[in-house]
Amino acid sequence: MALHAVGLKTQIWNNNIKSFLFLLCYPFIITFTYVAILGIVLFYVAMDFHAHTSTAELTKLFQSLVLDYWYVPYVLTILFLAGMFWYNHNRLDIGKGMHIVTREGKPELYGMLENLCISRGLPVPYFFIQQHPSCNAYTTGLSPSSYRIVVTSGLLEKLSPDEVECVLAHELTHIINGDTRLVFLTSTVTNMFRTLADMVWPASPYKKIYYKNGMPDQISIDNRRLRWRKNLLRLCIGGILKLADLGSLFTQLLISRKREFIADAGAVELTKHPRALMAALKKVGENSSGFADKAIKPTLFDNHENRWFSTHPSIADRVAAIARHTHVEAEDRAAALEREMAEEKRVVW
Amino acid sequence: MSWPLILGFVILVVGFTIVYNRLVALRQERKNAFADIDVQLKLRHDLVPNLAETVKKYAAHEKTVFENVTQARSRAMQAQSIGEKSQAETALGGSLMKLLAVAENYPELKADKNFANFQAQLADIEKSVAASRRFFNNATAEYNSAIQQFPALLVAKSLGFHDEAFFDVGVDNRNALDAPVAVSL
């Protein structure tokens, strides 16, 4: 923002500012949730125990609770996050189908990662290969003792060594920039709201109507009715928490998309080979489906999802961003012409 | 002093500092990229004597070619400024190409394993040199654009950030490079 994006470094700075601004959504969401829940509870309680408190006194109580105890939800959130971090930060879960890469076992592959780490002065993270036919890679880990990069066997088969190096550089940039911790932060807050919302207003177990002797069972019909008058307070609080969950989900996705651009730029800085990264992106874009575990989604190299709900920008956007900031063509003119003729967008006489 | 005035002044100072620090970072990034090119160029300088010795074993009488290569190498190792380095490295590249063209006439040389090895190493180094030069040029373009765009322009002009040169071949050299390689039979 202080400088317009005209190259790699300025693009990285600007995206960092944007992701930081998106992070500011979280205090907004937390405070909004706190105020709304407090207001509903007070209003409901006042409705029940009618008129022992006048409206003016109620408002004063509400105001004092909000202003004097504004820090309560933040303290709770931070305690929750700290607890989850402490529990998880040294965990190194090795799933089945994962093989570790060592210098003796796969010297060229390990050497690629090691050279990248040496150029940045970092210790080499754990490096695993996961047996899976699709092309993808991800990185997780909350502390230097548990950082790990996982690459699928499909990726190693389909991509050339230069392109694999670019994928490794992209994942290493995620580690350097602390994206694994950022993803942990955002997804834990989202999970926290989702769990709370589920506790207060469970995803309905009462959807089915049970039939007895061909006639619908009256009790299950009764259960299907929301009974909103009886459950008003619970539903309102549950609704607010679900809104908070949705809001934090969107914030997480917005942040994650910006971090992907930053990681791509960082990969170009490490390898100085933008063409290989663009080729890798295209190949992975065609082959990356079928490898998604919810926890690791945001740090995958690519993730095909619906545009609004995706953790990654589209491949075309990423390739265009690299092309723009490294002054390299995104696509050969000859290849582009072939593609347009195949899609019948252009007639050649 | 009214507080809006003070606030405005503080914002101005903070903004100025941020822009200045970023321009310094861009300048440093460019210097770093330049030093990275030197790393690759040094590898090439180290390779040249080995390559020349291998060719000399089979083609000892091609004196002019060897002299050109040795002279170009020493000139390249002594060059200081970016302009000098660009020219010297381009000249070294040209003389290396002439050396390899000469090698085409000697089948025993082409069959020699060491020669093939050095040729492969040279190809790799040339690719890395090209990549780091491109990166350096991108860093230079970024730095030049940043100091010329509006808010940063004021900071740059007042604190001595100037436009910097690219790693460019230059028009005279381009004519020399475009000339066809003269091979003596």
Side-chain angles (χ1 to χ4, degrees), chain A residues 18-37:
Chain A
K18 285 178 199 166
S19 50
F20 179 68
L21 287 177
F22 287 142
L23 266 183
L24 291 180
C25 287
Y26 278 119
F28 182 71
I29 292 175
I30 294 178
T31 312
F32 167 78
T33 314
Y34 176 63
V35 167
I37 292 184

Side-chain angles (χ1 to χ4, degrees), chain A residues 202-216:
Chain A
S204 172
Y206 303 124
K207 282 214 168 112
K208 285 167 74 166
I209 297 186
Y210 294 94
Y211 286 84
K212 263 186 187 165
N213 303 327
M215 297 288 288

Side-chain angles (χ1 to χ4, degrees), chain A residues 1-4 6-11 13-14 17 268-269 272 325-328, chain B residues 18-19 22-23 25-26 29 36 131-132 134-135 138 141-142 145-146 149 151-152:
Chain A
M1 258 166 33
L3 297 175
H4 189 60
V6 287
L8 287 174
K9 268 267 175 294
T10 39
Q11 182 207 16
W13 289 332
N14 287 351
I17 291 181
V268 173
E269 276 190 334
K272 302 189 173 42
H325 293 120
T326 57
H327 309 292
V328 167
Chain B
I18 291 178
V19 172
R22 288 195 167 178
L23 291 182
L26 286 179
E29 177 79 8
D36 271 349
S132 35
R134 210 178 296 127
F135 192 77
N138 281 334
E142 192 173 11
S145 304
Q149 289 185 340

Side-chain angles (χ1 to χ4, degrees), chain A residues 207-250:
Chain A
K207 282 214 168 112
K208 285 167 74 166
I209 297 186
Y210 294 94
Y211 286 84
K212 263 186 187 165
N213 303 327
M215 297 288 288
D217 178 43
Q218 189 57 36
I219 298 181
S220 62
I221 290 183
D222 280 346
N223 279 341
R224 278 192 81 203
R225 286 205 208 117
L226 219 38
R227 295 228 189 91
W228 63 275
R229 279 186 206 87
K230 276 175 79 169
N231 290 323
L232 184 59
L233 179 65
R234 213 157 63 93
L235 290 181
C236 284
I237 296 185
I240 301 246
L241 286 172
K242 280 197 197 288
L243 271 181
D245 168 35
L246 208 61
S248 44
L249 178 69
F250 270 119

Side-chain angles (χ1 to χ4, degrees), chain A residues 90-127:
Chain A
N90 270 328
R91 242 166 60 150
L92 185 67
D93 25 344
I94 304 183
K96 52 176 191 182
M98 277 212 218
H99 310 288
I100 192 166
V101 173
T102 54
R103 198 180 284 124
E104 298 78 26
K106 283 192 183 287
E108 303 93 19
L109 193 57
Y110 188 82
M112 258 188 231
L113 184 60
E114 199 180 25
N115 285 340
L116 291 171
C117 291
I118 290 176
S119 76
R120 280 289 175 177
L122 294 171
V124 182
Y126 293 112
F127 188 13

